[in-house]
Amino acid sequence: MASSISIEFRFESIGGLGANLAGQLLAETLALRQGLNVSQFSSYGSEKKGTPVRSFIRAVDADRPIRVTSPVTQPHVLAVFHEALLARASTLAGLRSDGALVINASPSSPPKLPKGRVLIVDAMTIAVEEKTRINTAILGAVAKACPLIDAKAFAKTLEEHFAKRSPK
């Protein structure tokens, strides 16, 4: 019997870094390219740059319904788009002991992080070098952290979405 899929993601960010769009793109890939049943929504305040943003994604096998509509409290993958968010206790709350933490931070001065699987990505430097946005660098690290994500399918989704804005 094949194992069933059930995975939850939470993106912690501040407005302007693209966490809402990142959640939508991940959900689109999992649903349309990988055939999973997916639920995604974001929670944010006044939609201004600098305000807290959270994006929640749940994915299960295509033949299973998703009946939970509440925020993800115990993510398998937690992505933190700005290291200043670590000052809030709620940012890392609920991360599963076997989960993965992806954080945008400089490797030269990494923040103190919990034990477990942690991927540090210098998304700002990557975004500047590649002339892209922080969210794409974070999404690449999320794909690396989660073997469920088909990297080629994910890249195709990103290519199709961002080609509209910038062919490069």
Side-chain angles (χ1 to χ4, degrees):
M1 178 180 207
S3 64
S4 68
I5 295 170
S6 179
I7 189 163
E8 296 182 327
F9 301 83
R10 187 172 76 221
F11 295 168
E12 297 275 350
S13 187
I14 54 176
L17 297 182
N20 183 32
L21 177 60
Q24 291 172 4
L25 293 170
L26 176 56
E28 179 181 325
T29 299
L30 295 172
L32 301 180
R33 297 190 188 277
Q34 293 188 230
L36 298 175
N37 191 9
V38 180
S39 169
Q40 185 276 330
F41 68 96
S42 293
S43 168
Y44 42 87
S46 61
E47 297 187 52
K48 289 195 240 176
K49 286 187 177 182
T51 59
V53 174
R54 298 172 114 189
S55 186
F56 310 100
I57 304 107
R58 287 186 173 88
V60 298
D61 293 309
D63 60 345
R64 291 178 48 208
I66 297 176
R67 300 195 190 283
V68 180
T69 58
S70 61
V72 172
T73 57
Q74 294 186 307
H76 295 90
V77 178
L78 173 60
V80 180
F81 283 57
H82 196 287
E83 65 183 298
L85 294 169
L86 295 174
R88 297 182 346 190
S90 63
T91 298
L92 298 178
L95 178 61
R96 294 172 186 257
S97 59
D98 62 344
L101 171 63
V102 174
I103 183 158
N104 173 22
S106 171
S108 60
S109 59
K112 185 174 179 175
L113 297 168
K115 291 182 181 177
R117 196 158 156 238
V118 178
L119 287 83
I120 295 176
V121 59
D122 190 351
M124 180 59 78
T125 299
I126 293 168
V128 170
E129 288 175 359
E130 297 297 323
K131 296 182 175 81
T132 186
R133 298 195 182 251
I134 289 173
N135 60 354
T136 56
I138 295 288
L139 284 171
V142 167
K144 179 80 172 170
C146 182
L148 169 70
I149 299 170
D150 180 329
K152 289 182 181 179
F154 204 13
K156 188 73 175 159
T157 299
L158 295 174
E159 180 183 319
E160 287 177 5
H161 178 81
F162 290 111
K164 298 172 190 171
R165 297 179 184 188
S166 170
K168 185 183 183 303

